[in-house]
Amino acid sequence: MNRFTHLIEFFRLEEPNVQIVFAGVFLLAALSGLVGSFTFLRKQSLIGDVIAHSILPGICISFLFAHEKDPLFLLIGAVASGWLSTYFVDRISSGSKLKEDTVIALVLSVFFGFGILLLTMIQQGGYGSQSGLDQFIFGRAASMTRTDVLILVLAFLLISSTVIVLFRGLTMLVFDPDYAGSSGFPIRILRSVLSSATVLTVALGVQAVGVVLMSALLIAPPAAARFWTNDLRKIVLLSMAFSVISALMGSASSYTSTGLPTGPWIVMFLTFFALGSAFLGRKHGVMRRLIRRRQNAWKILSENILKSFYYLSDGFTTQAGYSVAMVSKNTGINQLKVRFGLLLLKRSGSMNRSQGGWFPSSDGKIEALRIVRKHRLWELYLSRFMHLKPDHVHEDAEGIEHIITPEIESELLAELGFPSTDPHDNEIPEITEMP
Amino acid sequence: MIKEVENPVLETHNLTVVYDRKPAIWNIDFTLPAGSIVGIMGPNGSGKSTLLKSIMGVVEPNSGYARLFNKPLDAVRKRVSYVPQRQSVDWDFPASVLDVVTMGRYPHLGLFRKLRSEDKEIVADSLEKVGMLAFANRQISQLSGGQQQRVFLARALAQQADLYLMDEPLVGVDAASEHAIIDLLKQMQASGKTIVVVHHDLYTASEYFDWLVLMNTRLVASAPLEEVFQEEMLRDAYGGQLTSMSKIAALLREKSFPMRHK
């Protein structure tokens, strides 16, 4: 069977084992996307890392007591030691001068070290059913059982309904805990609700994706979602969606390529979403910034070209057209760019092309007048209020003329007392109808 | 100089907060008259913010207590509004101006009750008062420092309290916003509110406040402006005469000495 049919087979969910993995990974990813949104916005993402590492000793101790891999029993151990680690982080960072990141590193390594010690003891102790305990380090989604899924369903129902009911409180806890406390919100309870949800999520997730990658599952989805929207509810939903899609794609990939574990695959897809969002994100993405920068560059280019026609034609007193070379010489912009700018202007109806060359349309002339006017107003403003010498104001105005809005323009006019000439005694043109 | 008033709107009694064995505020004991604009002043690290936080129950005092309207805080929470320092929150948080000001209704609504149309009107009205109604749907990350502060004030207004405790509302605020804020405070005072403002600029204090609390870990003065605003008093708060005080504080910390016997 080739890979593709394997993939189809995975998503058709015919094998009972695949059903379990599918359901388990789905729930787990939805949970981590949900809980992760809050820890991410609280800037406490690393706490997930601490919990994931600190779960190991709890699991080992549970195993030593039970002598078998009872999932519920292991979960209790995991949650207990995860809880203990967050307690230590809180206590040590508020009660000492150590910075929180130092405390996190400290708690994480102490717990994990102790866990590895216990794990090694178990592995060398000849416990029959220990096989599989070591998957807590790298995770193995395929080993999920029906009981695991049942526990996940319960945990998901519990945590998601708690978040819905306490949404207001949790938002306040994350945004402004001091104000929330002063309003009488039970901050301590809310804080423990959030950290319990985090501990439970991580404890459930470690088995599937492993200690190291669990924190990625908490951080990457909300980080990706943040690039797309400024609405908290949407961030939460989007983060859950990114997380679920990555997890399903990851486990499908792992299913089709035997030997490659699920966790790393999931993280690969998460990374893909996070990087993609950083680039394409509608609200804060790089792409958007690039587009805006390009739009600005085009605006500046075409405005500079229009302005040059004003100077070339001596304030539009002549009607002759100008060649690309002449405009290029006048503006100091290379011919290729000038040609491009002229085409942009033609498309927007500001420029006409005739036998004699290029010349602005009446709209274009008004536009040009407006730019010259803003330029000279700004020069006057600088020399009058900033006391700059007239020969120092031109450069500044070259940049500012493109961003002065009509509102600022009228404010400038009023502040300057409706002037008629700039510091170089050039006329500040009135905007009138153009032929 | 510490002047006691009858029927104080706010009273602290031996309020003490210790951070990591070092007292941040120490036996603060004062009463404030209703209907005044009170400035709390003192040098950096003199415990001004801690004082407000301990009054509002955000920080648990190690000893002493505060009473508001002659009642414990829990009984009168809705009547007291706290404005934290602007820098204490993350302004990149995904929320709009409207979202933040709506939080001002939470002391009345609690964790669960739904927003009524009446609440929405109050929120819009508060935004109007600080001149930010046009920005209601703006993301808070896009605001200037002065606008952020006005949003915080609108949130406090939306609570419709009688006593306002504001932590440095004039820090990092442009001159125009500062005037707008002060005008607003005076209007609030005119309608019978009491406003307590943590402030650090001595030059403007005499214009803004009619009662001053000077502190430097300990209380130096609490009295009407004219009585406090004297050179020696300010020197006590800001100057060198309290060096032995800070020496004792350092010693307590160094020797792990119990400051209180409890």
Side-chain angles (χ1 to χ4, degrees):
Chain A
M1 237 189 306
N2 68 24
R3 248 178 218 192
F4 186 67
T5 47
H6 257 302
L7 199 65
I8 305 252
E9 196 185 88
F10 178 84
F11 281 110
R12 278 169 72 188
L13 302 176
E14 275 169 0
E15 264 184 63
N17 191 35
V18 172
Q19 288 171 6
I20 287 173
V21 171
F22 190 91
V25 166
F26 184 97
L27 288 164
L28 174 67
L31 256 184
S32 62
L34 175 67
V35 173
S37 303
F38 290 95
T39 49
F40 173 77
L41 290 172
R42 243 188 125 195
K43 307 207 182 299
Q44 289 210 321
S45 294
L46 279 179
I47 209 78
D49 214 17
V50 179
I51 297 169
H53 282 84
S54 307
I55 274 171
L56 192 59
I59 289 173
C60 291
I61 290 170
S62 288
F63 179 81
L64 283 173
F65 273 107
H67 285 279
E68 58 171 347
K69 268 189 69 193
D70 174 6
L72 200 62
F73 207 68
L74 291 188
L75 183 64
I76 292 169
V79 167
S81 74
W83 236 109
L84 203 61
S85 69
T86 60
Y87 174 78
F88 277 129
V89 170
D90 277 353
R91 245 351 253 272
I92 298 174
S93 48
S94 67
S96 77
K97 274 207 167 151
L98 294 177
K99 294 260 187 304
E100 185 159 307
D101 51 354
T102 317
V103 178
I104 282 177
L106 182 80
V107 173
L108 182 151
S109 39
V110 168
F111 271 76
F112 194 59
F114 183 51
I116 292 288
L117 192 78
L118 290 173
L119 188 64
T120 317
M121 266 172 58
I122 292 171
Q123 279 170 335
Q124 292 173 352
Y127 296 95
S129 53
Q130 61 87 14
S131 65
L133 256 201
D134 49 347
Q135 78 198 329
F136 279 93
I137 295 176
F138 294 115
R140 216 170 102 83
S143 66
M144 273 201 259
T145 63
R146 232 166 248 287
T147 324
D148 290 327
V149 173
L150 191 69
I151 295 174
L152 270 169
V153 169
L154 292 176
F156 182 76
L157 289 177
L158 177 72
I159 292 176
S160 57
S161 56
T162 309
V163 168
I164 291 170
V165 171
L166 290 178
F167 193 79
R168 181 183 289 172
L170 291 173
T171 310
M172 288 295 282
L173 170 72
V174 176
F175 174 62
D176 195 347
D178 285 355
Y179 182 75
S182 81
S183 316
F185 278 21
I187 281 300
R188 245 181 241 155
I189 295 176
L190 290 169
R191 203 177 279 143
S192 12
V193 165
L194 187 55
S195 56
S196 307
T198 316
V199 170
L200 189 58
T201 305
V202 173
L204 289 166
V206 161
Q207 190 188 358
V209 297
V211 164
V212 186
L213 302 179
M214 188 56 219
S215 59
L217 212 54
L218 282 174
I219 299 171
R226 187 68 187 91
F227 285 104
W228 293 94
T229 169
N230 284 324
D231 182 321
L232 179 59
R233 284 180 174 84
K234 286 186 194 153
I235 287 180
V236 173
L237 293 176
L238 205 56
S239 150
M240 289 170 77
F242 281 144
S243 181
V244 165
I245 296 170
S246 311
L248 292 183
M249 285 164 78
S251 36
S253 307
S254 159
Y255 181 77
T256 51
S257 55
T258 39
L260 290 176
T262 326
W265 268 117
I266 297 179
V267 172
M268 289 314 292
F269 283 108
L270 280 174
T271 312
F272 169 78
F273 276 115
L275 287 179
S277 302
F279 193 68
L280 297 170
R282 208 161 55 84
K283 286 292 174 191
H284 308 275
V286 175
M287 190 71 157
R288 195 179 147 82
R289 222 178 306 151
L290 289 179
I291 290 174
R292 185 174 298 158
R293 204 178 291 166
R294 157 155 323 164
Q295 281 170 343
N296 289 341
W298 287 1
K299 182 172 190 279
I300 291 171
L301 175 67
S302 31
E303 290 188 352
N304 282 338
I305 291 172
L306 270 179
K307 195 174 58 174
S308 75
F309 279 92
Y310 176 87
Y311 294 127
L312 282 169
S313 68
D314 209 6
F316 301 127
T317 49
T318 62
Q319 295 295 330
Y322 295 93
S323 69
V324 170
M326 289 165 90
V327 176
S328 168
K329 189 158 178 277
N330 183 268
T331 53
I333 302 169
N334 75 48
Q335 293 207 11
L336 205 67
K337 274 192 174 171
V338 168
R339 205 175 291 270
F340 176 70
L342 285 168
L343 288 172
L344 281 179
L345 285 164
K346 183 157 183 274
R347 208 180 54 178
S348 65
S350 304
M351 192 62 69
N352 292 323
R353 183 184 202 169
S354 65
Q355 236 89 52
W358 294 86
F359 204 74
S361 67
S362 49
D363 281 353
K365 285 180 198 162
I366 292 178
E367 194 53 34
L369 282 183
R370 188 165 282 142
I371 297 154
V372 172
R373 182 179 157 85
K374 287 192 282 192
H375 181 101
R376 292 183 177 167
L377 273 177
W378 187 248
E379 286 187 335
L380 190 60
Y381 181 81
L382 284 181
S383 63
R384 180 111 32 110
F385 292 110
M386 304 287 155
H387 305 289
L388 290 181
K389 293 209 182 77
D391 55 334
H392 283 71
V393 294
H394 176 75
E395 279 304 309
D396 197 307
E398 277 293 295
I400 300 299
E401 64 189 16
H402 304 292
I403 54 171
I404 292 179
T405 60
E407 295 85 59
I408 299 179
E409 186 187 326
S410 52
E411 273 172 35
L412 280 177
L413 270 176
E415 262 184 283
L416 293 165
F418 302 95
S420 57
T421 53
D422 75 0
H424 315 289
D425 282 327
N426 288 321
E427 180 206 7
I428 294 176
E430 291 291 324
I431 309 287
T432 49
E433 282 300 309
M434 277 284 147
Chain B
M1 171 186 300
I2 293 157
K3 197 159 184 174
E4 301 292 335
V5 297
E6 294 286 304
N7 294 323
V9 67
L10 170 64
E11 170 195 3
T12 65
H13 185 78
N14 282 344
L15 207 56
T16 302
V17 174
V18 182
Y19 286 142
D20 191 18
R21 296 208 151 269
K22 193 175 177 225
I25 57 172
W26 197 346
N27 273 351
I28 302 284
D29 213 341
F30 62 75
T31 49
L32 296 180
S36 45
I37 302 185
V38 178
I40 297 188
M41 305 194 59
N44 281 338
S46 57
K48 305 183 293 285
S49 296
T50 307
L51 174 63
L52 287 202
K53 283 184 183 169
S54 61
I55 293 171
M56 287 312 295
V58 175
V59 167
E60 199 71 32
N62 295 62
S63 70
Y65 59 84
R67 281 174 82 79
L68 308 118
F69 308 103
N70 206 18
K71 293 198 176 91
L73 175 67
D74 278 326
V76 289
R77 256 186 217 280
K78 291 175 194 172
R79 297 179 63 194
V80 192
S81 186
Y82 170 56
V83 181
Q85 266 181 37
R86 182 165 59 84
Q87 297 92 331
S88 71
V89 306
D90 171 20
W91 289 92
D92 283 329
F93 188 82
S96 68
V97 167
L98 192 68
D99 291 337
V100 175
V101 179
T102 303
M103 292 171 188
R105 298 305 298 160
Y106 291 172
H108 299 275
L109 297 170
L111 274 175
F112 306 113
R113 245 166 303 156
K114 274 185 88 168
L115 226 57
R116 299 156 299 177
S117 57
E118 183 191 330
D119 295 308
K120 289 179 188 160
E121 275 164 36
I122 294 170
V123 168
D125 191 48
S126 311
L127 275 169
E128 173 96 72
K129 277 186 188 145
V130 299
M132 291 290 291
L133 192 55
F135 295 82
N137 293 316
R138 188 73 68 91
Q139 272 301 302
I140 55 171
S141 56
Q142 296 167 352
L143 303 176
S144 71
Q147 289 171 330
Q148 291 174 350
Q149 193 61 59
R150 283 194 267 168
V151 168
F152 258 21
L153 286 183
R155 178 173 74 176
L157 286 177
Q159 192 181 328
Q160 299 191 314
D162 297 314
L163 170 62
Y164 293 83
L165 304 179
M166 305 182 176
D167 201 345
E168 308 246 25
L170 300 173
V171 161
V173 157
D174 57 285
S177 286
E178 176 156 347
H179 282 147
I181 291 171
I182 290 298
D183 283 346
L184 185 71
L185 299 190
K186 303 246 160 161
Q187 279 171 34
M188 290 160 69
Q189 180 187 30
S191 59
K193 316 283 189 189
T194 310
I195 301 133
V196 178
V197 177
V198 168
H199 191 63
H200 65 277
D201 182 11
L202 276 174
Y203 294 100
T204 49
S206 58
E207 285 172 51
Y208 295 164
F209 306 122
D210 33 46
W211 188 283
L212 273 188
V213 173
L214 292 185
M215 61 184 292
N216 194 346
T217 307
R218 278 189 185 262
L219 186 67
V220 177
S222 167
L225 178 82
E226 320 78 69
E227 293 171 41
V228 175
F229 218 66
Q230 299 159 5
E231 203 189 335
E232 65 209 273
M233 211 63 96
L234 296 174
R235 202 172 52 222
D236 281 353
Y238 287 85
Q241 298 204 348
L242 291 172
T243 44
S244 37
M245 175 70 63
S246 42
K247 273 183 196 157
I248 289 176
L251 212 62
L252 278 170
R253 197 169 130 74
E254 199 182 321
K255 305 266 183 210
S256 291
F257 225 72
M259 210 184 82
R260 304 231 147 243
H261 28 266
K262 85 165 203 184

